Amino acid sequence: MRNRRMTLALAIIMAAVLSVACGRSEYSARAVNEETDRCAQCNMAVADDAHATQIVMKDGRTLMFDDIGCMYAWLAEHGDGDVGASFVRDYHGLQWVKTEKAYYVYDASFKTPMAYGVLSFADKADAEAFIAEQGKGVLMAADELPDHAWKVNRDMGQTHGEGAHGDDGTHGRGTGHGDGGGHGREAGGDAHEGGAGA
């Protein structure tokens, strides 16, 4: 009788431990592999830079994106029901930050791989300092992103090569960025030259 009670108590404890462990599954970002990673939305190569984002699905799969706008376009099409977590990178330090904990700066003239013009920052003060330094930009919190217009700056979109974006702002299925586009900062170190607004 005593052994039966001990076995039952042990089974209850193990079930509780498993329940707690399964309930608090942690998702983590993975490193970008420039050799193989393609954007899950536009199929462009994903550069290991400040613009890369990723979604970790509940089943453990990771979807990589070359621009935060591509990630939100994917979410608009597929929803977030199977999403475990999503991550963006700090513009200056390149560390991965959970999307909901980051701050964002938008201006149509900011150069991003697919011309959405949204940059991410781990720290609100850094985002505000960037706006002051550039003399332009709108600060956004993560909860504002789903309602953001996610417009492509067509003047910049044309620099990304054939098939990058259609006239309606949709993504093509190109294989790389054109000579005028590219990922990351320009040769002079500043990826934020002025341009026409969207």
Side-chain angles (χ1 to χ4, degrees):
M1 186 73 160
R2 187 176 171 191
N3 283 345
R4 191 173 280 177
R5 282 188 200 154
M6 291 281 286
T7 303
L8 182 60
L10 186 58
I12 290 170
I13 290 169
M14 290 197 52
V17 167
L18 286 172
S19 169
V20 169
C22 291
R24 60 171 190 196
S25 176
E26 281 295 318
Y27 301 96
S28 57
R30 73 162 173 82
V32 174
N33 182 339
E34 291 187 328
E35 302 275 323
T36 60
D37 282 336
R38 311 292 292 178
C39 178
Q41 180 65 21
C42 71
N43 203 36
M44 298 292 181
V46 177
D48 188 14
D49 65 12
H51 306 294
T53 67
Q54 62 183 281
I55 290 174
V56 182
M57 305 298 281
K58 289 177 181 173
D59 65 7
R61 289 179 301 132
T62 300
L63 305 177
M64 304 299 285
F65 301 90
D66 64 341
D67 189 307
I68 190 172
C70 285
M71 184 169 78
Y72 273 88
W74 187 93
L75 287 167
E77 289 177 28
H78 301 278
D80 62 1
D82 293 326
V83 173
S86 61
F87 299 88
V88 296
R89 294 185 97 174
D90 177 67
Y91 185 74
H92 294 302
L94 299 186
Q95 70 269 25
W96 291 106
V97 182
K98 282 196 172 178
T99 304
E100 67 271 18
K101 294 187 175 181
Y103 294 88
Y104 302 87
V105 176
Y106 167 72
D107 190 89
S109 68
F110 292 161
K111 289 185 180 180
T112 66
M114 299 309 287
Y116 283 100
V118 175
L119 308 174
S120 50
F121 296 82
D123 185 73
K124 184 178 183 181
D126 285 348
E128 291 171 335
F130 183 83
I131 291 170
E133 174 189 306
Q134 297 298 315
K136 59 187 171 184
V138 176
L139 180 68
M140 294 188 295
D143 60 1
E144 298 175 79
L145 295 180
D147 296 324
H148 179 65
W150 295 110
K151 290 182 181 176
V152 171
N153 182 336
R154 299 201 196 298
D155 292 339
M156 291 191 184
Q158 292 171 2
T159 69
H160 290 284
E162 185 178 340
H165 288 285
D167 289 338
D168 61 354
T170 57
H171 292 81
R173 297 288 170 185
T175 57
H177 292 282
D179 292 341
H183 294 279
R185 294 173 176 85
E186 300 296 310
D190 186 1
H192 310 289
E193 298 167 17

